[in-house]
Each structure stands twice: as structure tokens, then as C-alpha cells.
């Protein structure tokens, strides 16, 4: 497909006003066919450089006008290049109308959002985790509800998204939806991806998030102490179901696995490690990153305890894991029975592995990061910040060394 294509600016001398100013037109020519439009600017004929197709002079107003014409040329060229790459039939009138935004169906925000979510849904299990899809669905629902409340319409054009919309949406999440700061920022970040898609496809001319800045607040992550873990291990519960949930929770405390990864564990995920002992080797559902975890004695005892459980035998599971909702409900009861004043969740179990089980016992942060399947060491460092007890113990060792060094120096004969 071959096109001859040019853009020309010229003054229309027949339409001079009382000051002698004439309108400037842009002419698009494709394969000999022309289409032109006014750029809504005027110039004195005497100041026009016909050969260069621009205004003569170096004054500020002249530079601004020439810069404006260059921006028009750039935008038209960009539209042309995109249509050419798509092997679309290009005409002078069609190119002009695209630039002017005529006869083009407006791209709607929620329509783009839904199209994105549909694509994510088809890639769940390949490029995305189920939880990622749920977050995007929830983010879309919040945007949809905000539009209905604030604008009284079902959807709005993506080109109408601006800084005011973003700020209003942030305020809506924090007030109407009662979302915390970090939750709000995460939903807006999901929404930001949709806007960036529109910007990348030239459906909007500028990124409305350019001047929007937000930072997640550092949250102190809860975890169980050694005493609390021991209290759970020793606690005899009155039903098998509660005992089962307690064991699965403790298994996560001693392996660092998330709920979704424990639920999908199979016997073939247990392999012989480099040390000749049993390891768990799986790809994390959330990030698809590899987790390599040597199995500690407590976790090994729990696996052995349930090897003859009907669900393990029939379903090839490694452990009999209930639904997340049921597990978390039972954990609240277990916390009460064990006298633990903390919100027991599987996130807390993972934090416990990172802090109490590993970092507090001198396991290097790089090794902990590898076992947790973190893609960045910065993620693991969040856990290291809260280990005051470990800092105290490390500094006590240093004090002893420094004291010994000081004594040796004093005893050294002169």
C-alpha cells in the first residue's frame, strides 16, 4: 500500500479582516486529493514565508504561532503513521476528520475498563492471578458508582478524565466507600492503568495522572511471637475441624506460603533439596515467581499427620484445606481459645514466617526473600524494619565484642 502524503500551511488572502489579517489554513494532500481546514489563527500576508510555510520573524508571538503549526503537523503525522501501520485506507478527508475529532465514536471510560478486565480474565492462570482480576473488577465497580453519584450518567468519555476527576474519585473512596489510604491508592492505581491504555492508544492527548502523586503509607505488619506460636501448638481444641484449621495455619507460619499456594500443594511439590532433606518447590500463584522452601520439623509433622486424611488420599492434595472464608472464620475462634489478641489471617502467618521464624533467628534477608518468592528484595525489607528485638540482640553481641576489645586494649602493656 503506497501513499503520497503532505501537509501544507498557507494564508487565505481573500478573507482579510479590517486589520489586514488573513486566516491560516492547513492543507492535507494524499495521492493528489486535498482536504483543508482553518487552524483558527491569523497572520499579515506580508509576514508569511511562502517557501518555508511559516511566519517570518523571531518575536515571541511569531515563535508561538510557528510552534503551534508544528504541533498540528506532528499530530496529523502521528495519526497518519498509525493508520498506515494498521493498513487502513487513508484519505485526505478521513485524516482531517480524525484530527478534528469528527465522525469518530467517542471512547468511553467504563467500556475501555470492561474490555481490559475481559482480557485479564482470559489470562488468569497464565499472566494474572485470580486476585488480580478481582481487584480490577472491584476498581471498575467503584469508578462506575462514582460516575453515577457525581455525574449522574452511566459512563463518560475517556477524554473527560482530568485531575479533578481523579481527586474526586480519591475523596469518594475515602469518604463514601470508607477505604483506608493504602486501599484507596491501590484502586486508583488500577484505574490509572486504564487511563494509561487510553493515552498509549491516542484516545486522549495528555495523561491526566501527570501531576497526581500518591505514596503508600508504611504499615506495621502484625505477626505472632514465639510464645504465641508455642501457645497455639500446645492448645488442645475441642473439635477436629478447629484442630485442622489450626494446623494449616501453623503450616503457613513455618513455610511462609500464602493460602492460595497451600491449597494447591500436591505431593509432587515435595522434592529432595540440595541438602538431602525435603523441600517445597512451587511457583507462587500471585507473581508466578519460584518459592524454594526447606521444610522445618513442625511443618513436616503436620504433613505426616494428614497423609491418611480422605481429602488428601482422594484428591491428591498435600493438606486438607477449607475455603478461605471458612478458614478465616475459624481462625477468629481459635485466636479467642488460645488467648491471642491478634487478627489471625493467612497474611499474618506469612508475616510470622518472615519475622519470628526466619529473620529473628538470623536467616539472611536474601534467603527469606527467595523462600517467600518475592520478586524484589525491597518487599522483604518491610518485614526487617519491625524487628526491634533482633536489633537489640545483634547490638548486645556487638557490645560484648566492643567491651572485650576495650579490655584487651587497657591490659596491653605499654
Amino acid at each position: 500500500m503506497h501513499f503520497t502524503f503532505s501537509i501544507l500551511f498557507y494564508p487565505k488572502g481573500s478573507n482579510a479582516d479590517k486589520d489586514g489579517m488573513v486566516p491560516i489554513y492547513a492543507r492535507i494532500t494524499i495521492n493528489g486529493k486535498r482536504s483543508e481546514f482553518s487552524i483558527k489563527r491569523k497572520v499579515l500576508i506580508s509576514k508569511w514565508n511562502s517557501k518555508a510555510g511559516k511566519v517570518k520573524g523571531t518575536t515571541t508571538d511569531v515563535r508561538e504561532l510557528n510552534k503551534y503549526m508544528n504541533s498540528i503537523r506532528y499530530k496529523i503525522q502521528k495519526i497518519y503513521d498509525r493508520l498506515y501501520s494498521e493498513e487502513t485506507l487513508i484519505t485526505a478527508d478521513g485524516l482531517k476528520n480524525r484530527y478534528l475529532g469528527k465522525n469518530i465514536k467517542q471512547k468511553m471510560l467504563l467500556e475501555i475498563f470492561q474490555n481490559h478486565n475481559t482480557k485479564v480474565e482470559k489470562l488468569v492462570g497464565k499472566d494474572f492471578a485470580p486476585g488480580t482480576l478481582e481487584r480490577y473488577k472491584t476498581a471498575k465497580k467503584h469508578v462506575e458508582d462514582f460516575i453515577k453519584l457525581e455525574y449522574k450518567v452511566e459512563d463518560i468519555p475517556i477524554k473527560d478524565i482530568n485531575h479533578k476527576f481523579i481527586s474526586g474519585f480519591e475523596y469518594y473512596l475515602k469518604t463514601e466507600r470508607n477505604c483506608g489510604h493504602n486501599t484507596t491508592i491501590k484502586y486508583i492505581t488500577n484505574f490509572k492503568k486504564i487511563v494509561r491504555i487510553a493515552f498509549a492508544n491516542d484516545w486522549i492527548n495528555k495523561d491526566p495522572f501527570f501531576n497526581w502523586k500518591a505514596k503508600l503509607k508504611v504499615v506495621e505488619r502484625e505477626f505472632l511471637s514465639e510464645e504465641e506460636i508455642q501457645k497455639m501448638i500446645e492448645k488442645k481444641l475441642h473439635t477436629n475441624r478447629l484442630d485442622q484449621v489450626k494446623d494449616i495455619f501453623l503450616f503457613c507460619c513455618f513455610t511462609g506460603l500464602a493460602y492460595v499456594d497451600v491449597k494447591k500443594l500436591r505431593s509432587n511439590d515435595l522434592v529432595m533439596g540440595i541438602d538431602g532433606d525435603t523441600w517445597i518447590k512451587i511457583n507462587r500463584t500471585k507473581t508466578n515467581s519460584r518459592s524454594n522452601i526447606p521444610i522445618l520439623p513442625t511443618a513436616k509433622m503436620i504433613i505426616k499427620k494428614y497423609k491418611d486424611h480422605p481429602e488428601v488420599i482422594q484428591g491428591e492434595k498435600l493438606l486438607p484445606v477449607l475455603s478461605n472464608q471458612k478458614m478465616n472464620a475459624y481462625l477468629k475462634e481459635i485466636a479467642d481459645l488460645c488467648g491471642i489478641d491478634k487478627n489471625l489471617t493467612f497474611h499474618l502467618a506469612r508475616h510470622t514466617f518472615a519475622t519470628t521464624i526466619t529473620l529473628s533467628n538470623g536467616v539472611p534477608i536474601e534467603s527469606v526473600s527467595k523462600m517467600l518468592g518475592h520478586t524484589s528484595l525491597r518487599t522483604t525489607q518491610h518485614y526487617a524494619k519491625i524487628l526491634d528485638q533482633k536489633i537489640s540482640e545483634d547490638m548486645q553481641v556487638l557490645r560484648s565484642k566492643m567491651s572485650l576489645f576495650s579490655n584487651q586494649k587497657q591490659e596491653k602493656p605499654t
Side-chain angles (χ1 to χ4, degrees), residues 10-16 19-23 42-50 54-56:
Y10 69 97
K12 213 161 193 176
S14 58
N15 294 336
D19 298 318
M21 303 286 282
V22 295
K42 291 186 175 183
V43 67
L44 286 169
I45 286 286
S46 59
K47 285 200 167 188
W48 186 258
N49 185 334
S50 298
K54 64 180 184 179
V55 186
K56 293 182 283 188

Side-chain angles (χ1 to χ4, degrees), residues 182-198:
N182 285 1
T183 302
T184 295
I185 299 307
K186 288 175 182 178
Y187 283 136
I188 294 177
T189 302
N190 291 142
F191 169 54
K192 183 179 179 180
K193 184 182 178 184
I194 307 306
V195 174
R196 287 287 173 85
I197 290 171

Side-chain angles (χ1 to χ4, degrees), residues 202-392:
D202 296 321
W203 298 332
I204 51 177
N205 294 323
K206 62 180 182 179
D207 181 4
F209 276 95
F210 183 75
N211 291 316
W212 183 82
K213 304 294 179 188
K215 191 174 182 181
L216 293 172
K217 292 179 181 176
V218 177
V219 178
E220 291 293 326
R221 299 170 185 265
E222 273 197 323
F223 57 93
L224 296 183
S225 66
E226 285 187 17
E227 293 75 13
E228 288 168 329
I229 295 171
Q230 193 60 37
K231 192 184 290 187
M232 283 193 72
I233 291 172
E234 294 173 357
K235 183 67 177 178
K236 302 297 182 185
L237 300 175
H238 56 277
T239 68
N240 290 335
R241 184 52 59 94
L242 283 176
D243 196 49
Q244 178 182 327
V245 172
K246 182 191 79 169
D247 286 338
I248 303 300
F249 176 82
L250 286 169
F251 183 83
C252 291
C253 288
F254 283 89
T255 60
L257 290 173
Y259 165 81
V260 67
D261 294 322
V262 173
K263 188 171 177 63
K264 73 175 186 179
L265 273 182
R266 299 291 182 268
S267 56
N268 57 9
D269 292 321
L270 301 183
V271 299
M272 186 72 72
I274 194 171
D275 55 2
D277 211 336
T278 308
W279 289 39
I280 294 172
K281 293 195 175 185
I282 61 164
N283 288 338
R284 283 196 68 203
T285 302
K286 183 177 179 180
T287 60
N288 200 37
S289 56
R290 192 71 168 167
S291 281
N292 299 325
I293 310 161
I295 303 180
L296 295 171
T298 303
K300 192 177 288 187
M301 285 170 59
I302 292 170
I303 292 173
K304 186 177 180 181
K305 179 177 178 179
Y306 290 97
K307 67 182 179 66
D308 295 324
H309 191 281
E311 288 184 35
V312 174
I313 296 171
Q314 296 169 13
E316 296 183 359
K317 294 180 178 180
L318 189 65
L319 292 167
V321 182
L322 305 179
S323 72
N324 199 10
Q325 187 178 6
K326 285 183 179 179
M327 295 284 275
N328 283 325
Y330 282 125
L331 282 173
K332 289 177 176 30
E333 186 177 349
I334 292 169
D336 291 336
L337 292 170
C338 293
I340 296 174
D341 188 23
K342 288 175 182 174
N343 181 28
L344 297 191
T345 65
F346 282 91
H347 284 302
L348 182 139
R350 189 165 160 80
H351 300 163
T352 299
F353 175 78
T355 53
T356 308
I357 303 299
T358 54
L359 289 171
S360 291
N361 287 301
V363 178
I365 194 169
E366 294 82 3
S367 298
V368 177
S369 186
K370 184 72 175 174
M371 288 187 285
L372 290 172
H374 286 162
T375 54
S376 168
L377 193 62
R378 288 181 62 187
T379 308
T380 320
Q381 285 169 343
H382 289 305
Y383 300 109
K385 291 177 183 177
I386 55 178
L387 294 172
D388 291 344
Q389 181 61 37
K390 181 68 171 66
I391 293 170
S392 174

Side-chain angles (χ1 to χ4, degrees), residues 33-46:
K33 302 282 186 173
R34 298 175 175 178
S35 189
E36 55 191 39
F37 60 93
S38 170
I39 68 167
K40 310 300 183 186
R41 298 287 191 278
K42 291 186 175 183
V43 67
L44 286 169
I45 286 286
S46 59

Side-chain angles (χ1 to χ4, degrees), residues 63-200:
R63 287 200 303 270
E64 286 297 321
L65 181 52
N66 285 332
K67 184 179 178 181
Y68 176 63
M69 288 189 290
N70 283 336
S71 72
I72 293 174
R73 185 188 301 276
Y74 171 77
K75 288 173 183 176
I76 294 174
Q77 181 70 54
K78 195 175 179 184
I79 295 169
Y80 174 86
D81 290 342
R82 188 174 73 249
L83 293 174
Y84 187 86
S85 69
E86 294 170 356
E87 298 188 355
T88 303
L89 177 64
I90 311 172
T91 65
D93 282 335
L95 191 55
K96 177 187 76 173
N97 289 335
R98 283 218 173 224
Y99 171 74
L100 296 174
K102 293 180 179 178
N103 303 322
I104 300 173
K105 182 184 176 184
Q106 291 193 101
K107 289 286 185 178
M108 305 300 285
L109 171 59
L110 295 177
E111 183 183 331
I112 298 169
F113 214 143
Q114 182 55 50
N115 184 52
H116 166 270
N117 289 0
T118 300
K119 288 179 179 176
V120 170
E121 188 168 10
K122 291 179 179 177
L123 292 171
V124 167
K126 298 175 183 176
D127 295 342
F128 298 98
T132 303
L133 173 63
E134 288 307 310
R135 283 193 294 276
Y136 275 116
K137 283 183 174 180
T138 305
K140 176 183 175 285
K141 183 68 170 64
H142 286 326
V143 172
E144 187 176 353
D145 291 343
F146 171 65
I147 290 171
K148 288 177 182 176
L149 179 68
E150 189 69 19
Y151 298 88
K152 307 295 188 288
V153 293
E154 296 297 315
D155 201 352
I156 62 173
I158 188 69
K159 67 180 181 61
D160 289 347
I161 303 302
N162 52 26
H163 190 272
K164 180 183 176 183
F165 182 98
I166 297 165
S167 299
F169 182 47
E170 181 178 355
Y171 181 76
Y172 164 82
L173 288 172
K174 289 181 176 179
T175 55
E176 296 293 328
R177 306 304 306 178
N178 201 30
C179 294
H181 175 79
N182 285 1
T183 302
T184 295
I185 299 307
K186 288 175 182 178
Y187 283 136
I188 294 177
T189 302
N190 291 142
F191 169 54
K192 183 179 179 180
K193 184 182 178 184
I194 307 306
V195 174
R196 287 287 173 85
I197 290 171
F199 183 61

